[in-house]
Amino acid sequence: MKDLEELLAKCEANAVSDSQIDTSEFPEITDFSGFEPMHPEYFKAKKEQISIRFNSILVDHFKSLGKGWQTKVNDFLMASYLAGDI
């Protein structure tokens, strides 16, 4: 662990401050269409709690899938949206 601490201290001592980095030649990213996170397991999309009415047969079906059924509904709707179905 001491080797790691020494390495980190050495890196920090030789680091360039943020104010010294010229980012003027990097374009600002404004279009995120087609964005695929490299590690999706660490990416969590913002969700909004709402109230919505579904047919009972749909609710019963998704509930029968067990714990996490609301996430499965969300994933199903998201896949349909991304495929251009809805």
Side-chain angles (χ1 to χ4, degrees):
M1 189 66 126
K2 186 175 180 180
D3 293 339
L4 177 61
E5 291 171 0
E6 288 174 5
L7 177 63
L8 289 174
K10 192 175 188 179
C11 289
E12 287 293 327
N14 294 310
V16 176
S17 69
D18 290 347
S19 63
Q20 293 176 304
I21 299 172
D22 178 16
T23 59
S24 62
E25 59 188 59
F26 302 127
E28 181 178 354
I29 299 172
T30 56
D31 180 13
F32 291 94
S33 62
F35 170 73
E36 294 282 338
M38 185 180 290
H39 299 283
E41 64 272 20
Y42 300 116
F43 178 75
K44 189 169 187 174
K46 180 181 174 189
K47 293 187 178 178
E48 182 176 344
Q49 183 173 345
I50 63 164
S51 177
I52 190 168
R53 295 179 183 273
F54 288 117
N55 291 340
S56 299
I57 195 165
L58 287 174
V59 175
D60 291 343
H61 168 72
F62 278 101
K63 281 185 174 181
S64 74
L65 299 175
K67 186 176 170 130
W69 69 271
Q70 291 176 332
T71 300
K72 290 178 176 95
V73 172
N74 183 77
D75 293 347
F76 176 79
L77 291 171
M78 184 58 73
S80 295
Y81 167 73
L82 293 173
D85 297 335
I86 55 174

